[in-house]
Amino acid sequence: MYEIERRAFLWQIPVTAAALMAAIPEVLGASSQNLTWNDFTARLSDLAKELTTSADHDEDAYVYRLGAAAIGTPAVPSTAKLGRFAKLDPAVEFGPVYRGAPIMIIQWKLAPNAWLPPHNHPHYDVVSVGLEGEAVITHYDIDGAAPPFESDASFTVRRTRETLIAPRRISPLTSSRDNIHTFQAGPKGARGIDINTRVGADIGFSFLDISANALDPGRATYQAKWIGETPKA
């Protein structure tokens, strides 16, 4: 796993990818500001149905269009419940806030300085949307091939992107790009939602143990192993 010193360093440096996301015009989310939660989820569902059934469906274009529509997310219903995940300390919490087709929305909350270890989302497109606080999200791709989740054999991942997520900022992934990610909350914690779209069979997921030392610093590659659906505390 990452060393604490490295995570602290990441928090202090400017995040280049964040500048790209900041360039999304404010007007993209303006029409969402007066929507109710029900209107909002209906709007996203309609857009998702339109895009995922298109003959020329492009996952990369899809997640960015969905993310643009999600900027300016209305208040999550106060009835939405969060539950602590595993034994992570500082705490990480999750809870579903919308179950539909083709999207499902999960709310997440990270305590100050909390870290959600790296994990993947096979056969899913995911758009993470910041609502409160700040977190750095680091993305990886599998570099080459990886063994089945139950294997303890090592493989290689490549760090592809680091993004600062905060209110009105997004960090997307697709089933084939940036599909592994990890969250490092800032000193005030962070809260947001993940908009999930399944694009294949649900085969589960796994957390990863990623070495702190690069195999190839120039390519940002690291040795990794699957560790199952429960992260190391």
Side-chain angles (χ1 to χ4, degrees), residues 57-64 124-125 173-177 199:
H57 174 59
D58 182 315
E59 290 183 54
D60 291 302
Y62 167 70
V63 292
Y64 280 102
Y124 275 85
D125 292 339
L173 61 83
T174 74
S175 64
S176 60
R177 179 183 59 76
V199 294

Side-chain angles (χ1 to χ4, degrees), residues 10 60 68 71 82 86 135 149 156 190 192 228:
L10 278 176
D60 291 302
I71 295 174
L82 288 165
F149 293 157
T156 303

Side-chain angles (χ1 to χ4, degrees), residues 158-176:
R158 185 177 189 182
R159 190 179 70 240
T160 55
R161 178 162 55 86
E162 290 178 339
T163 300
L164 176 67
I165 193 168
R168 299 181 65 81
R169 291 177 182 261
I170 67 170
S171 187
L173 61 83
T174 74
S175 64
S176 60

Side-chain angles (χ1 to χ4, degrees), residues 183-197:
F183 291 63
Q184 172 66 63
K188 295 183 179 180
R191 183 174 67 88
I193 58 173
D194 278 359
I195 305 168
N196 302 273
T197 310

Side-chain angles (χ1 to χ4, degrees), residues 8 14 19 24-25 46 53-54 62 107 145 191 213 223 226:
I24 296 178
D46 288 345
T53 57
S54 171
Y62 167 70
Q107 181 179 203
R191 183 174 67 88
N213 299 315
Q223 181 174 288
W226 302 121

Side-chain angles (χ1 to χ4, degrees), residues 104-125:
M104 178 176 68
I105 302 177
I106 302 295
Q107 181 179 203
W108 47 264
K109 183 178 181 181
L110 283 68
N113 303 311
W115 185 52
L116 178 62
H119 57 282
N120 70 341
H121 293 266
H123 298 175
Y124 275 85
D125 292 339

